[in-house]
Amino acid sequence: MEPYQLDGRQTVIIAILAVYLGKFVNSRVEFLRHYHIPDPVTGGFFASVIFSIVYVASGTEFAYTMGIRDGLLLIFFTCIGLSTKVETMISGGKQLAVIAVIAIVFMFLQNGVGALVARVTGLDPLVGILGGTISLAGGPGTAAAWDTQLASDNHVASANELGNAFAMLGMLLGGLLGGPVAARLITRHKLESGSDADAVPAIGIEQTDKPIEISYESMMRTGLTICISVGLGLLLNKGLKAVNFDLPDFAVCLISGILVINLGPRIFGRLKFPQPNQSRSLALVSDLSVSVVLVMSLMSMQLWAMAGLGPAVLSIMFAQIILVVLFTAFVVFRGMGSNYDAAVISSGFIGVFLGVTSTGLANVSAVTQSYGASPRALLIIPLLGAFIVDLTNPFITQLFVSLLG
């Protein structure tokens, strides 16, 4: 039976309902609330469970229109850029260098562990690479890009199905584990946010009993600034591609947002721009965007297909979970300074290296809405996922494929 194709409007409706479902479940389950599991992760998982039950019971499969997700991803990364002060970038320069070294070391470990477990369990070591940086650090898009090569050139059976399964499981587990690890680090070390008292989270609205006011003018100003920044980002990326320098659109929109929010007020002094870490309108748009992006990705999980994964494949995933949690607690947290920002960065690191950048930032959002803003984490995590991982992962992956193929 052909899948029932849902158009963009229907897909968004289901995605928003799934976010509401996640909010409802999190509000009723103390464990999920206590460990700051993002609402989109919970909602996306339960939506995939519901659609999987429908498939098993009736054979009806749903196909989603994901174009809107891609547009919201650009808006989200633009918002992150607009939330980044140049002062934060300068002060965090050393930490960016440190996290880059840590990330590269981890990617070698992630592939090494995947290949080792695959060999021990009787699988092709390249399946372990597929369950390493290709699908986990890279996400579904990178997995799809490598599937063809691994299947045709390296004769990896079911590379497409395995890559998608690893990527989807990683996104789910990355969203489930980041919050608990950060909460554990914050409570164990008695950490507090060092941001200004009037700072607000760059993603979402802080949890408070006081009413939050967002004006018509501020929303209009924020929307205009976002649209201009996205346009400049896409235009900039066309110029980069013309000189054979290829970056994802969302990465260049991040850069564009940083340029607009830091140069705009200096060039156009009379115009009012959203203030980084003080604009609740900007934080709200960020939260809405990442919530829909993440829930749309997770609700498309085909759990009935994942149920057929063998114990050897699940062993690779289990080993990767143990690796990323231990590495984050003992290396990332300490390398980032063992402070509050380091704990928030740790939650994002787990999300990035088990899922995708949006998973890491959803973790950061969930943690900062409960414990306080962390501008440095909002600088480091998107740069980690959008630049460090995307630029180094292809070379590291190719090295392992060449050695093991």
Side-chain angles (χ1 to χ4, degrees), residues 73-83 226 229-230 253-254 257:
L73 190 65
L74 298 184
I75 292 174
F76 172 63
F77 273 90
T78 301
C79 290
I80 297 302
L82 292 171
S83 301
I226 291 171
S229 300
V230 170
C253 285
L254 171 69

Side-chain angles (χ1 to χ4, degrees), residues 46-85:
F46 278 98
S48 69
V49 170
I50 292 171
F51 286 116
S52 295
I53 293 173
V54 171
Y55 175 80
V56 172
S58 66
T60 302
E61 180 181 352
F62 293 91
Y64 304 100
T65 300
M66 294 297 192
I68 294 177
R69 180 192 64 178
D70 299 335
L72 289 173
L73 190 65
L74 298 184
I75 292 174
F76 172 63
F77 273 90
T78 301
C79 290
I80 297 302
L82 292 171
S83 301
T84 304
K85 294 182 179 179

Side-chain angles (χ1 to χ4, degrees), residues 181-232:
V181 170
R184 173 65 175 168
L185 292 171
I186 291 170
T187 55
R188 180 180 180 182
H189 297 280
K190 300 179 180 179
L191 305 174
E192 295 181 354
S193 172
S195 297
D196 296 335
D198 59 347
V200 301
I203 307 175
I205 303 300
E206 67 272 27
Q207 296 180 2
T208 175
D209 294 331
K210 300 179 180 179
I212 300 297
E213 293 186 2
I214 298 177
S215 68
Y216 172 85
E217 181 185 355
S218 70
M219 284 300 301
M220 289 290 287
R221 185 169 61 247
T222 297
L224 177 61
T225 306
I226 291 171
C227 290
I228 291 173
S229 300
V230 170
L232 290 175

Side-chain angles (χ1 to χ4, degrees), residues 79-103:
C79 290
I80 297 302
L82 292 171
S83 301
T84 304
K85 294 182 179 179
V86 68
E87 293 84 358
T88 304
M89 295 181 63
I90 294 173
S91 64
K94 181 180 178 180
Q95 284 191 311
L96 279 173
V98 172
I99 198 65
V101 173
I102 289 174

